[in-house]
Amino acid sequence: MKNLCNLKMITSLVVGALFIISCEKSEVTNEIEQIGDPQEEGFKSVTGHTDKVLKIEDEATKPILKMHFDDSMSKEEAILSFDKAVNDYISKQPIQNKAFSTEWFYRVWTYTGNQSNNDTDGDAGTYVRFNTSAGGYTAPFNWMDNFGDDREGGWDAYLFKASFPGQAVEWVEIDYATLYLEGTDGWFVTDFVVQLWTSDQTLPATGSSSLWCEPNVWLDNSCSDSCWDSYFCDSTSTGRLSF
């Protein structure tokens, strides 16, 4: 009987020891699992346009002006601040004394959402298509990268210039635009805006034209080299800018 009791005691000690070891292993495993980023980005795009090869032509343009506004600034405050910067720039440009214009300035805005891993360091840009009195015209690719922060939450605003090759136009309308992101560092875009304002021109003008979309999508790619994802916007363009 004594041997049996000793056997039971030894068995209990062994089981207890195994349980403790098991718990310790579980804790180690959990610690190892938690070392990794619990919000690791991964591939998130559902646009259906990922991993396209985009050939950027040599005429691609950089923004004349670029400003970043974080979430501490309201949309209205961001607009007023960018208005001042654009007006200061335009006021220093020579005013054209022509009946019609050979160039026009337009603004591009994006708003980056507050999702995890949303503030991409990847290259971004846009193609903007215009209707004009001289026919349709797609401006050269606009690089949306410049000095300072880009797409780190909040609004990013850009000023670009376009000109119809070889001729003047009586009026311009925004037709559609496509937003692009290169590489595997995802970007969550909530707003994508293109604007033509009277006050931004170097020639007397009337009217305005704008395009506003709310993508609320991830732009992302599964390959990093020369792979581009895109979002197409054409459903809400309004107005006309006349010279």
Side-chain angles (χ1 to χ4, degrees):
M1 178 66 70
K2 184 176 180 179
N3 291 336
L4 180 60
C5 290
N6 290 337
L7 180 59
K8 288 182 178 180
M9 183 178 297
I10 293 171
T11 303
S12 298
L13 290 173
V14 171
V15 171
L18 290 174
F19 177 76
I20 292 171
I21 293 171
S22 175
C23 290
E24 288 177 349
K25 285 184 176 179
S26 177
E27 289 174 1
V28 171
T29 302
N30 288 336
E31 288 176 1
I32 292 173
E33 291 175 350
Q34 292 170 8
I35 289 173
D37 183 359
Q39 296 178 330
E40 186 177 353
E41 181 183 335
F43 176 74
K44 297 182 178 180
S45 174
V46 292
T47 64
H49 303 136
T50 64
D51 301 343
K52 305 297 182 184
V53 176
L54 186 65
K55 184 177 181 180
I56 309 298
E57 59 283 274
D58 294 337
E59 304 84 45
T61 60
K62 292 185 177 182
I64 296 169
L65 294 175
K66 184 267 173 182
M67 296 182 71
H68 173 74
F69 307 96
D70 62 31
D71 285 329
S72 66
M73 184 174 288
S74 69
K75 178 177 69 176
E76 291 72 22
E77 290 173 322
I79 291 172
L80 288 174
S81 182
F82 196 55
D83 278 346
K84 183 180 184 305
V86 174
N87 291 337
D88 287 346
Y89 172 81
I90 295 297
S91 67
K92 298 173 183 176
Q93 306 309 305
I95 301 300
Q96 298 183 74
N97 185 20
K98 303 176 182 177
F100 305 123
S101 182
T102 57
E103 66 180 28
W104 57 91
F105 294 87
Y106 59 102
R107 306 183 186 192
V108 175
W109 293 78
T110 61
Y111 189 87
T112 300
N114 57 9
Q115 287 71 14
S116 299
N117 300 303
N118 64 338
D119 51 347
T120 181
D121 290 326
D123 288 334
T126 179
Y127 274 116
V128 180
R129 175 75 174 181
F130 299 95
N131 291 323
T132 79
S133 58
Y137 173 65
T138 301
F141 186 80
N142 297 315
W143 287 107
M144 294 166 62
D145 296 284
N146 207 348
F147 53 87
D149 294 332
D150 292 291
R151 298 173 296 281
E152 295 188 356
W155 290 99
D156 286 284
Y158 310 84
L159 180 70
F160 294 100
K161 182 173 73 172
S163 58
F164 201 110
Q167 56 186 309
V169 297
E170 299 178 43
W171 53 264
V172 183
E173 300 170 343
I174 300 169
D175 189 4
Y176 56 82
T178 308
L179 185 63
Y180 293 90
L181 176 72
E182 184 181 30
T184 59
D185 191 6
W187 177 28
F188 192 86
V189 190
T190 65
D191 295 80
F192 175 39
V193 186
V194 185
Q195 299 169 323
L196 272 168
W197 294 139
T198 300
S199 58
D200 295 351
Q201 311 310 315
T202 57
L203 188 75
T206 59
S208 62
S209 182
S210 63
L211 175 71
W212 193 304
C213 283
E214 298 177 342
N216 285 308
V217 296
W218 283 96
L219 296 182
D220 202 359
N221 295 280
S222 59
C223 60
S224 57
D225 296 332
S226 302
C227 289
W228 294 79
D229 194 6
S230 63
Y231 173 82
F232 178 73
C233 175
D234 74 337
S235 60
T236 55
S237 60
T238 58
R240 172 181 290 184
L241 182 77
S242 297
F243 297 103

